[in-house]
Amino acid sequence: QMLYLREDKFHSELELDATATPLPSYRKYNANSASSFPSSDSDLMIWPECWTHYIDTLETGDAQTAIWWLSVDNNNSRFTANHFKERSDILHLYQSEYARQYLLKHKVADHQVIKMTEFIPQERCFPSLTEEKRDLDVLYNPAKGIHYTDEIQKRSGGKKGGICFTAIGGGLNGQERISPQEDYS
């Protein structure tokens, strides 16, 4: 089941939204809305890194707690070095080497660190390698590491090298953050 929470920024709290429905692009996963907070020791409550300051605000009984570190930077130092030391009960899920290095830097025990990846639907997979011609497309986040991306573009020959570099995000040159509600599928 999927637990849908709504952030009330005015009161700095979260509310359960049992009437929420997934975005159209996520409906194919058939994740039913949860009607209550997880509470048993077989439940896992996964928090996005941007909501770590809410971890202890909900009554989740014996449910295991995890933080999914997508980019680390979205945490804005809310989960501090002291939290890492004091909260050995929290699992840390990462999906990038950047996040893994961040967890190593904070000396998180190996058994608390788990690599997570997103499911890639079949329709998004690369074409067969036996095909003669395929496009070489590179998506990048211009808000992070642009100096590396610029160097890669230069060394690859850019458009002359047959590689298309596309910034992800919104606004001019894709440099504005996109909201979770925006669907680019």
Side-chain angles (χ1 to χ4, degrees), residues 9-170:
K9 291 185 179 182
F10 182 71
H11 295 102
S12 297
E13 60 186 33
L14 296 176
E15 301 170 343
L16 177 65
D17 188 352
T19 62
T21 57
L23 294 170
S25 58
Y26 291 98
R27 289 189 185 131
K28 61 187 166 199
Y29 300 114
N30 296 321
N32 298 327
S33 294
S35 58
S36 62
F37 294 117
S39 59
S40 84
D41 61 0
S42 63
D43 292 334
L44 177 63
M45 180 80 169
I46 301 175
W47 292 89
E49 66 190 45
C50 59
W51 280 4
T52 57
H53 57 295
Y54 289 123
I55 288 175
D56 293 323
T57 65
L58 300 178
E59 289 296 324
T60 56
D62 294 328
Q64 175 68 54
T65 300
I67 300 171
W68 191 340
W69 296 95
L70 293 170
S71 75
V72 174
D73 300 331
N74 292 328
N75 185 251
N76 294 323
S77 300
R78 290 183 180 121
F79 199 82
T80 66
N82 284 339
H83 288 115
F84 281 107
K85 289 177 190 170
E86 296 167 2
R87 296 302 304 265
S88 61
D89 60 318
I90 294 178
L91 296 174
H92 297 273
L93 315 174
Y94 72 92
Q95 113 178 25
S96 68
E97 182 61 18
Y98 178 63
R100 188 179 81 80
Q101 291 297 325
Y102 178 78
L103 296 171
L104 289 174
K105 175 181 145 193
H106 285 90
K107 297 179 175 58
V108 178
D110 287 343
H111 69 276
Q112 291 175 256
V113 179
I114 301 170
K115 182 176 183 174
M116 290 285 287
T117 58
E118 295 178 53
F119 173 75
I120 301 174
Q122 186 63 36
E123 62 268 16
R124 298 264 184 158
C125 291
F126 294 105
S128 169
L129 295 176
T130 60
E131 292 181 18
E132 282 188 34
K133 185 178 180 191
R134 65 184 184 123
D135 294 332
L136 297 175
D137 297 321
V138 176
L139 298 178
Y140 66 95
N141 185 344
K144 296 182 180 183
I146 191 65
H147 54 286
Y148 294 117
T149 307
D150 287 342
E151 189 61 32
I152 292 168
Q153 284 184 23
K154 287 177 195 170
R155 291 182 184 201
S156 68
K159 292 181 182 177
K160 294 177 187 175
I163 300 174
C164 177
F165 287 83
T166 305
I168 59 172

